[in-house]
Amino acid sequence: MSSPSSSVSSFSASLLDAHGWDSGWAATFAPYAAQRLVPGRVIRVDRGQCDVATAEGVVRADTAFVTPHDPLRVVCTGDWAAVDPADAGDPRYVRACLPRRTAFARSTSSKRSEGQILAANVDHAVITVSLAVELDLGRIERFLALAWESGAQPTVVLSKADLVPDPVGLSYLVEDVETVAPGVPVLPLSSTTGEGIDVLAATVAGGTTVLLGVSGAGKSTLANALVGADVMDVQAARDVDGKGRHTTTTRNLFVLPGGGVLIDTPGLRGVGLWDAEAGVGQVFSEIEELAADCRFHDCAHESEPGCAVAAAIADGSVPVRRLESYQKLIRENRRIVAKTDARVRSEMLKEWKRMGRGGRAAMEFKRSGQIR
């Protein structure tokens, strides 16, 4: 009988390697190898079943044994799974998923405000923004916050760059995005002319990349260009507003010819934060650095004396829009976290009471006739 280590080694076939298998995953999988389970990468999930790339090829497996109450722990595209061996009969089951190295999650649009896992074990997050419509810098900041929070390295791709033939105008658009994406590569790209495709392919070679963006951003076209084949259906965006239909309806994982894998996702109608405080801080790093110099540690950057952020707003070094976006995302994230964290709820309640007392005191002072 072979040892667990030799069993794991025997699984390290070319197909697994192509999907990102490495010595770290092999070591983590060792206890499952001792149970004669087979390792594989989840490449697609739908209706309680999933397609898993194993050393023997792609197999269909049921996820009934790993369907937790927490929606963030369901089997997701990009997961590494322990699957029944070929002789287990039909159907085969996913028995467990390995702990994720990274995970891209957002809040759902439902009133329950649950988290939704979009992709697992991602190294690069490519945020695709169409130049067929006016740039929405606030939405880009949201995507960036979720990407940083996931643990992936973000890149912003400005797709359909051929629609902006003026090089100077295009450079201004790139600069606009760079101002809201500190430390993030911003790449104009056209799947029609091929501009930027080679640069992006080199950037994402090796590791796992997820494509993110709204419908009509050109993700499916970009996926086809990177994979080098028509793996995704493509529909033309409407001329009136540049928006497209939901061409992609599931998350799919493909092997890239230059190495690494790609996960294409459906267009996202909503980009809700999910416990992304660190990600928001990364996106607005210049504001958080300034805030460290404010006179009060709990400065709201509104009318407090000695506010370093307000001073930066006054001298024009930080745009007002930038601060407003930061404050909006911080408030939204706190509301989401408060629904599951009693400590945060208590802190927010104290803050609301403090603000209420301040407002009542000001009103009473005004009514006393001391303010005309």
Side-chain angles (χ1 to χ4, degrees):
M1 181 177 178
S2 60
S3 66
S5 59
S6 64
S7 298
V8 173
S9 176
S10 67
F11 284 134
S12 299
S14 59
L15 185 58
L16 280 182
D17 293 340
H19 283 82
W21 185 255
D22 58 31
S23 58
W25 289 121
T28 304
F29 190 80
Y32 300 105
Q35 302 172 40
R36 294 188 63 251
L37 295 175
V38 175
R41 189 95 190 254
V42 178
I43 61 177
R44 178 188 173 101
V45 180
D46 59 283
R47 299 180 181 180
Q49 293 192 317
C50 61
D51 293 334
V52 185
T54 70
E56 66 187 85
V58 177
V59 302
R60 189 73 166 167
D62 196 298
T63 64
F65 284 96
V66 281
T67 306
H69 294 297
D70 184 354
L72 293 175
R73 298 307 307 167
V74 299
V75 178
C76 178
T77 302
D79 272 325
W80 282 98
V83 186
D84 288 330
D87 58 1
D90 188 24
R92 294 168 69 172
Y93 289 91
V94 173
R95 298 293 175 173
C97 286
L98 302 189
R100 294 163 177 158
R101 293 177 180 175
T102 62
F104 193 99
R106 65 161 181 172
S107 66
T108 64
S109 57
S110 69
K111 294 182 179 180
R112 292 177 296 179
S113 297
E114 295 178 337
Q116 179 188 25
I117 184 74
L118 297 178
N121 301 312
V122 173
D123 302 294
H124 309 283
V126 174
I127 301 164
T128 311
V129 180
S130 173
L131 291 179
V133 295
E134 185 176 354
L135 287 176
D136 186 336
L137 299 180
R139 179 179 286 149
I140 294 172
E141 288 165 341
R142 283 175 171 274
F143 272 114
L144 287 169
L146 292 178
W148 281 123
E149 189 69 32
S150 76
Q153 168 64 48
T155 295
V156 177
V157 163
L158 302 181
S159 67
K160 307 180 183 181
D162 54 289
L163 299 180
V164 187
D166 177 21
V168 176
L170 182 59
S171 68
Y172 286 150
L173 292 172
V174 172
E175 289 178 9
D176 286 344
V177 176
E178 288 176 338
T179 61
V180 304
V184 176
V186 179
L187 177 65
L189 182 147
S190 171
S191 298
T192 301
T193 66
E195 175 189 358
I197 295 293
D198 290 345
V199 176
L200 181 61
T203 300
V204 303
T208 297
T209 299
V210 61
L211 290 181
L212 302 163
V214 299
S215 297
K219 298 189 306 303
S220 294
T221 303
L222 181 55
N224 289 340
L226 291 172
V227 176
D230 291 336
V231 293
M232 301 300 299
D233 291 333
V234 175
Q235 295 178 351
R238 299 193 300 255
D239 291 336
V240 64
D241 56 10
K243 295 181 180 179
R245 300 182 183 88
H246 285 277
T247 301
T248 306
T249 57
T250 59
R251 290 174 282 279
N252 302 276
L253 186 149
F254 307 101
V255 175
L256 294 172
V261 296
L262 178 73
I263 299 175
D264 190 20
T265 63
L268 301 177
R269 292 188 179 90
V271 193
L273 300 184
W274 181 260
D275 198 4
E277 182 177 354
V280 173
Q282 185 80 16
V283 177
F284 297 92
S285 57
E286 80 280 22
I287 293 178
E288 298 222 328
E289 288 172 5
L290 286 167
D293 294 327
C294 290
R295 182 181 301 177
F296 304 108
H297 75 277
D298 59 347
C299 183
H301 318 308
E302 293 174 351
S303 58
E304 297 89 345
C307 176
V309 176
I313 295 292
D315 66 24
S317 57
V318 173
V320 174
R321 189 212 68 81
R322 187 86 167 136
L323 175 59
E324 291 174 344
S325 182
Y326 169 73
Q327 292 173 325
K328 178 180 180 180
L329 293 183
I330 287 292
R331 287 193 299 268
E332 177 184 324
N333 190 71
R334 290 191 71 192
R335 286 196 299 270
I336 290 294
V337 174
K339 292 183 178 181
T340 57
D341 191 319
R343 179 185 60 81
V344 175
R345 284 199 302 273
S346 176
E347 291 177 354
M348 290 182 69
L349 181 59
K350 291 178 182 178
E351 177 66 14
W352 291 335
K353 288 181 177 179
R354 183 187 68 80
M355 294 173 63
R357 287 194 298 269
R360 287 192 296 273
M363 183 60 69
E364 291 172 1
F365 188 64
K366 184 176 181 178
R367 287 173 177 172
S368 70
Q370 299 182 60
I371 296 182
R372 301 295 180 186

